[in-house]
Amino acid sequence: MLLISCPFCGERPEDEFGFGGDASVRHQGGGDGTEPASVEQYADYLYLRDNPKGRHAEYWVHRYGCRRWLVAERDTVTHEIFSVKSASEGGTG
Amino acid sequence: MSGARRIPGAGLLAGAPPVSFCFDGHRHTGVAGESLAAALIANGERVVARSFKYHRPRGVMGIGNEEPGALVTIARPTGDEPNVRATTVELYDGLEARGQNAWPSVRFDLTAVNDVLSPLFPAGFYYKTFMEPVSAWPFYERMIRRIAGLGEVPRVADREIYTSTHAHADILVAGGGAAGLQAALIAARAGARVILADENPWFGLGLLGETATIDGLPAHDWAREVGKELAQFENVTLLKRTSVAGRYEQGFVILCQNLRDAPPAAGDPMPRWRLWKLRVKQTIIATGAIERPLLFANNDRPGVMTTSAAVGYLDRYGVLVGGRIMVAAGDDAAHDAAARLARAGAQVTVVDSRDSGSRIALEAGASVEWRARAVNTRGRAGVTTVRIEGSAGHRWVPADIVATSGGWSPALHLYAQTGGKPVWDDTRQMFIPGTTEQGAVTVGACNGTFDLGAALGEATSAAVKVCEAIRLTAAARSPVAENSHDTAGAGQWSEVRGRKRCFVDIQNDVTVADLDLAVQEGYRSIEHVKRYTTLGMGTDQGKLGNVNGVKAIAEARGEAMSAVGTTRFRPPYVPLPMGVVAAHLSPDQHHPMRRTAAHQLHEAAGCVWLNAGAWLRPQFYRRGGETDLEAVNREVLAVRRNVGLVDVSTLGKIEIAGPDTITFLNRVYTNGWSTLKVGMGRYGLMLREDGIVFDDGVTMRLGEQHFVMSTTSSGAGAVYEWLTMLLETRWRDLRVTLMPVTEQWFAAALAGPKAREVLGRVAEGFEVSNDAFPFMGGRVGRVAGIPARVFRISFSGELSYEINVPADRGEELWTALLDAGRPEEMAPYGLESMGVLRLEKGHFVIGREAEGRTNPYDIGLGRMVSTKKWFVGKEALDFPEMKNPRRRQLVGVVPANKTERLPSSAHLVLPEAPDKVGGSQGWVASMAWSPTLDHDIALALVEGGHARTGERLLAYAPIAGKKVAVDLVAPHFYDPDGGRQSG
Amino acid sequence: MTGSNLDWTIVRYSVFSLARQALAGHAGWPEAWRKPEPKRRYDVVIIGGGGHGLATAYYLAKLHGITNVAVLERGWIGGGNTGRNTTIVRSNYFLKDNAFFYEHALKLWEGLSLDLNFNVMFSQRGNIILTHDFGGAEGATMRYNALRLNGIDGEFLTREEVRRRVPDLDFSPTARFPVFGAMNQPRSGVARHDAVAWGFARAADRRGVDIIENCEVTGFDIANGQVTGVRTSRGEIGAGKVGIAVAGHSGTVAAMAGLRLPIETHLLQAMVSEPVKPFLDTVVISPGLHLYVSQTDKGEVLMGGALDGYNSYSQRGTWPAIEDVVSASVALLPRLRGLKLMRTWGGVMDMTMDGAPIISKTPIQHLYLNGGWCYGGFKATPGSGWVFASTIANDAPHPLNEGFSLDRFRSGRTLTERGVGNLPHHH
């Protein structure tokens, strides 16, 4: 049972949270008004992952808490959590 | 013949009342609170179980959770409990135990014929035979399965009460021996919140019989005093009879507490087990060490036990395990034990593999022979004689107990579970912790420290450090241990090879020869040997046998112990009752059932319930003797011709506010939103990022900057999370706020040509005429006096109003609407009828026609896909596959002969080749009898379906064996122009 | 005892050889597979000594005459997901690409013990997939009708038929997960997982394949867009072709060749109870609860559930998944309440973004990838090796694995059996 330190609610157990995947992938174009990505670029964005063995920046949502999105940096081998930030401040997406 | 007897006045339970218990039909007397194993030994019961494979007789070999052999079934009024270690259950009056894995009984087991045939059944024999003929394997397998297994699973669900609790502490101390007690005391005095857990009913059991004194007190008295002192601290929780079962990340620990073994009196709510889900900052692991048995021929007979167990029964329970005890010693600790056994009156012989050592046993009256070993045993139902190999040659010596002392294995399970790496210490001949573990520290015997004084010192300094880590100041006062010495030594190994059977794993019947064979056959890795031979895979998980196994493998491989290593330590440390693991999550907590605010009214109206995802919803409302279909037909026709009322509270609702909402909606829906006026709503189609239809629903603009979005019932949570993710991670510049409000509202839809009349009677603050309140309009006002939002939207295709009121007024609204509709004899309709209505209209449903692989074009919603703007999933619609004309596309299906019924769950196949492998053209996603049209209708997903209207296919359901000719038609069966809903 | 020449007498496994050896104290059994030193060059190097890698080597030798093959294993063979799964073998897939591939695998399973001369204990005891309500049954029947139309066996069991097969399910009126009915694939079943690795290893070894344990690949030699060998902890090994079959480590190994994959690594746990006498003779699955329960030949109740839910290479699980699996098991089979949970473990799963595997050529010439098995890899083992061997031997996919190409993630022709989209932790 991971212990995730929600910046809004404090330390809470894993089962209050939902996982949102790799936070390092970036959507290019479109919504922010810039040129849309090519189909190939988009496919890579959608499907390819670094899948690191070690530090991983990832989204979590405090589903049964404040319902805010967070970006955690966690070790995928030891499950050590190095940092948790609000996605709207510290997010990388 | 057992020479076991009770020693009056000895043990911790002196003075406890006698109780009566029963084993395999034999009635005996024991002492309340002693272990069943102690009681069985005291009553001369030697064969208490049978082994897994060869069904050899098994007695008691250990004294705690490490016990591999003495597994019994306890009969309980709440349900029988199989595979109970007799060493861990506390005796109560009326306890009934019986042997298991034997026929007819453990004393006389006919299945022991396996033992005679054992040469045919070496390790892994089943991989080498039973292959031909292929059809015979099920027969062999049934045979193997019947012989395997141990006890019987309880006939019915046991009715014990289980409970679980969450707790937080600064420090968990696992193990209440000398080191654990000392560590807990230091931390407690420093003010730390401490939990001390020990699996036994007493702390400090290892100190019984200890010759050293601590702070001037006999060691066990010191333990008792520390226990008393700890009990005084408000910041300390003492948990006896509690196993620390598993350590997980970030200080999460699972403990299992035994609250009682005796069955509850009637009405007694005391649970049997409690699961502790503990979060701690630091764990001090003081789990001690387990004595290693010796390997010699026939070392599995009842009467062979570890020396610490043999003397433990005396120290704890006052039970002398035998009359003639052979102690096979390899260190001084065994002599200490032998001395106590001798003083209690047993005739003790010590054979010690060393040249010399402690004289304490000799002085206590035991005979001691140096440079001698036990090498074999005899005895049908337990040891009667032991073969000694010494400087004077071989001889057989009578004995009813062989107490073996091979050395010690630190209990590293908790340390290793989260990644700690045990290493082999060649000097002390044991695996010890090799790396430091974050958040945990090992002290005392489990750290390889066997000298009492040293262990206390180690515990003291570890506790001080741990306190410092959590910013507490602890006084580093360590008690003085006098006359303390390291009695554990390096232990000994017996070197027995050849054809005589030396058992390494007593439960699973794994012998040294099996391990040799595995290595000979190339299964060299410890994990391969384990899996090939089943070493350590029993209920004891190899607590006694595994290190001996490593040794045997190392010798077979001709390599060092360190090269072999250990298998992985996996939780739980002791088997956990599944009932207690599940205590926190009853089925309804596991998957909560959701009910709408009008649930009671539906129930009272005689509805038939339907599990719809997480929700319980009315399927239809049966009247009198109606069949299901008659009820649905009635409800559907009422809506088509008159008016009906349906509970639609389950639809997801998200309030949206902010000046950039239109921009936001333009990005999340495929269609355009820029022209949406206040007081009007619009249907939106939402895609996943991979271009697949995700959700749909109407968003209503209630004010300039105030909107309410409606989602599918099942998508409510996921849509909200996805939209907030977009806002928080990508579109932080958008001034938009979302609020999920599904649970705050009750919603009912009035549908049918007379809906306006009914609504008109109860509407307040808004007009209902077609001009004043047009199709897709939204109004805020009151309905039957209740504040309401009313949306003129339609799923049925009829004139329809969806009325939303605060959830706590849902029942009131439902009742008021039914009253208002009395002149029209308005009746409620259920989900099934709603399904028919939407099917007649050809509306798709997420999860049916849009089934997770469907894009907007597939379901004929290309017109909803704006080309003028970007939206989520837009890029994916340019994947080549998205425009493939062979994609499965939505079509209507009707039987070629309208009087025929369509088979359910059917596929569509070419009439000329219905059974061609891979010949499915697509499948029926939804179908129903249309009472409006008087024939079956269906929506189907068909390869290239849009271009195939008019084609005749077969609807084919092979499992039901049904085939019906069908025609592909446009997917709108009723009022395709939509005049009825907008008029 | 090392070297490529088979200088030991091949002992065929049979009841007769077992009896003969019993008389000789079993002293004559040879090594199941040799422990050769790696050669400097092989025609084909397979990275990964799990079931898939070993099966690939076996079929390369048996069907394609390519015997100068090495299987490189970082630890001990079969030590990954081959040795830590719930042992279920079935082919009840809906999408045609999946269905035909897994059915091919199932047919290989049916003859595998004889083919390998190693009893893998494939036990066709069915997979009872419960449906808890009418809607679920309707959808499941549609899927099983698809099975039948694809030439695969499948049947519907009514509530009463389920009760006869698994009387211990909760049939009470208050059951939270009422048994409406079930789908069953009679030919599906379970197998002895370790035996699959050992059987393929022994059979491949007999055909000349070198199985090299304790040999970790540390890099690739790539020249002009073509792989020419691998670097390992035991030296450089030249290779005409290289196949990767490393499951949860696909991403890490592919990264050494400069490839990013549509794969995330996740943890899946499984667990067993203490052994008890046989009471469950089939596999019970509840897709709604995401639960698998069966009883092993040893008598343990074997349970598996959903992923832990986030990327993980840890090979050990966290508590919530255990609690979920046990709670669901007890809810479905109330008799389990009184049993004890004996051991839990975890394996790392190579989860693709669409939930279907990748058996494919890669952008690098003569480098092939077999991975992305999600948690369906065990049942695929012989089929996976069979098509991967064909793909490597012919430098082109077999029709059975054409759909499992890496390209599908750019063409949009993804294979989402469950239709959940690019969320590996939801497959």
Side-chain angles (χ1 to χ4, degrees), chain A residues 10-88:
Chain A
E11 288 188 333
R12 298 299 174 92
E14 166 192 344
D15 47 12
E16 289 187 13
F17 295 84
F19 182 67
D22 190 338
S24 69
V25 291
R26 278 178 179 74
H27 179 259
Q28 305 287 339
D32 55 12
T34 54
E35 270 305 293
S38 70
V39 171
E40 290 76 20
Q41 286 169 328
Y42 188 73
D44 291 355
Y45 151 76
L46 205 54
Y47 294 121
L48 297 191
R49 296 292 179 265
D50 286 341
N51 193 24
K53 192 172 184 173
R55 278 187 186 237
H56 188 237
E58 59 198 19
Y59 291 121
W60 289 82
V61 60
H62 197 181
R63 183 172 292 153
Y64 304 110
C66 60
R67 305 190 77 160
R68 295 290 299 268
W69 282 90
L70 314 170
V71 176
E73 218 192 339
R74 181 180 58 93
D75 190 304
T76 59
V77 181
T78 65
H79 292 325
E80 186 180 349
I81 296 173
F82 306 104
S83 67
V84 187
K85 292 179 193 157
S86 159
S88 42

Side-chain angles (χ1 to χ4, degrees), chain C residues 52-66:
Chain C
H52 291 239
L54 294 164
T56 305
Y58 171 68
Y59 290 115
L60 275 171
K62 182 189 173 190
L63 301 178
H64 303 280
I66 303 172

Side-chain angles (χ1 to χ4, degrees), chain B residues 106-122:
Chain B
V106 291
R107 288 185 201 91
F108 178 72
D109 179 10
L110 284 176
T111 39
V113 63
N114 285 9
D115 196 34
V116 180
L117 298 175
S118 64
L120 279 173
F121 305 139

Side-chain angles (χ1 to χ4, degrees), chain C residues 24-78:
Chain C
H26 298 286
W29 293 115
E31 280 186 311
W33 63 95
R34 295 162 298 127
K35 314 286 175 193
E37 285 300 314
K39 293 191 280 190
R40 294 189 58 187
R41 191 189 147 76
Y42 291 91
D43 292 340
V44 177
V45 164
I46 304 293
I47 305 172
H52 291 239
L54 294 164
T56 305
Y58 171 68
Y59 290 115
L60 275 171
K62 182 189 173 190
L63 301 178
H64 303 280
I66 303 172
T67 56
N68 185 24
V69 175
V71 177
L72 309 184
E73 166 54 47
R74 185 177 65 160
W76 38 285
I77 61 165

Side-chain angles (χ1 to χ4, degrees), chain B residues 413-545:
Chain B
H413 307 70
L414 293 180
Y415 157 77
Q417 277 172 1
T418 53
K421 300 269 184 295
V423 295
W424 180 251
D425 180 329
D426 217 42
T427 315
R428 285 178 291 176
Q429 295 284 295
M430 58 181 67
F431 284 101
I432 57 168
T435 49
T436 43
E437 260 288 274
Q438 186 131 30
V441 55
T442 47
V443 297
C446 85
N447 199 37
T449 307
F450 285 82
D451 177 275
L452 184 56
L456 290 168
E458 191 171 276
T460 304
S461 57
V464 169
K465 253 188 228 155
V466 162
C467 286
E468 278 167 7
I470 55 173
R471 299 200 175 83
L472 291 170
T473 312
R477 193 203 159 270
S478 196
V480 180
E482 278 179 59
N483 195 22
S484 136
H485 53 289
D486 182 353
T487 52
Q492 60 169 335
W493 303 95
S494 19
E495 283 139 32
V496 181
R497 280 290 190 281
R499 301 186 68 167
K500 295 242 171 59
R501 285 192 292 170
C502 311
F503 287 82
V504 179
D505 184 321
I506 297 293
Q507 187 177 111
N508 281 353
D509 291 324
V510 180
T511 64
V512 173
D514 287 324
L515 302 179
D516 286 347
L517 176 63
V519 172
Q520 170 193 327
E521 291 192 80
Y523 301 92
R524 296 170 64 86
S525 151
I526 177 82
E527 291 281 359
H528 277 160
V529 179
K530 169 192 136 184
R531 288 150 183 268
Y532 194 63
T533 64
T534 72
L535 171 71
M537 290 170 75
T539 62
D540 57 311
Q541 293 282 289
K543 292 186 182 71
L544 284 185

Side-chain angles (χ1 to χ4, degrees), chain B residues 587-588 590-591, chain C residues 132 170 174-180 286 289 328 331-332:
Chain B
D588 204 44
H590 196 271
H591 277 61
Chain C
H132 301 299
D170 188 354
T174 53
R176 173 63 181 88
F177 306 103
V179 177
F180 182 89
S286 166
L289 286 166
L332 275 187

Side-chain angles (χ1 to χ4, degrees), chain B residues 11-278:
Chain B
L12 298 167
L13 288 164
V19 293
S20 163
F21 75 102
C22 187
F23 177 72
D24 251 2
H26 293 194
R27 192 145 291 284
H28 294 300
T29 303
V31 175
E34 70 181 348
S35 73
L36 173 61
L40 288 170
I41 292 169
N43 282 283
E45 292 278 8
R46 305 194 79 190
V47 181
V48 300
R50 289 277 166 167
S51 64
F52 192 87
K53 184 173 167 188
Y54 300 140
H55 288 244
R56 284 171 65 96
R58 290 289 173 259
V60 176
M61 178 165 271
I63 195 167
N65 274 321
E66 80 283 7
E67 174 62 43
L71 304 182
V72 299
T73 296
I74 307 277
R76 304 175 65 84
T78 48
D80 292 357
E81 194 176 339
N83 303 348
V84 175
R85 291 174 298 279
T87 51
T88 61
V89 64
E90 287 175 44
L91 205 65
Y92 52 84
D93 196 40
L95 182 145
E96 273 189 51
R98 59 173 190 269
Q100 55 181 35
N101 198 34
W103 186 84
S105 77
V106 291
R107 288 185 201 91
F108 178 72
D109 179 10
L110 284 176
T111 39
V113 63
N114 285 9
D115 196 34
V116 180
L117 298 175
S118 64
L120 279 173
F121 305 139
F125 73 97
Y126 28 72
Y127 300 125
K128 294 174 177 153
T129 183
F130 303 138
M131 284 173 277
E132 285 177 281
V134 171
S135 58
W137 170 241
F139 166 77
Y140 294 124
E141 189 179 38
R142 260 200 305 283
M143 212 167 62
I144 291 173
R145 284 167 78 89
R146 213 171 299 154
I147 294 167
L150 288 167
E152 302 262 351
V153 64
R155 278 285 136 222
V156 291
D158 78 304
R159 295 178 298 280
E160 287 290 355
I161 304 167
Y162 300 97
T163 183
S164 76
T165 187
H166 289 268
H168 294 257
D170 294 324
I171 298 170
L172 167 69
V173 180
L181 287 166
Q182 172 62 16
L185 188 61
I186 294 282
R189 286 174 177 164
R193 289 175 303 153
V194 176
I195 290 181
L196 171 62
D198 190 280
E199 61 194 22
N200 294 298
W202 302 278
F203 292 133
L205 282 180
L207 297 173
L208 286 168
E210 170 64 56
T211 50
T213 59
I214 305 176
D215 277 353
L217 290 173
H220 187 257
D221 291 353
W222 172 85
R224 195 174 298 160
E225 291 307 312
V226 173
K228 279 185 201 158
E229 185 179 345
L230 284 170
Q232 303 303 312
F233 286 95
E234 278 186 16
N235 51 328
V236 173
T237 306
L238 299 179
L239 299 176
K240 292 174 182 170
R241 301 179 176 89
T242 303
S243 302
V244 182
R247 283 185 61 236
Y248 296 87
E249 277 67 29
Q250 284 128 17
F252 187 75
V253 193
I254 291 292
L255 279 60
C256 187
Q257 183 181 20
N258 182 347
L259 296 169
R260 56 165 177 78
D261 278 329
D268 181 358
M270 175 63 87
R272 174 99 199 273
W273 299 97
R274 174 184 287 139
L275 192 82
W276 288 74
K277 296 193 254 185
L278 193 59

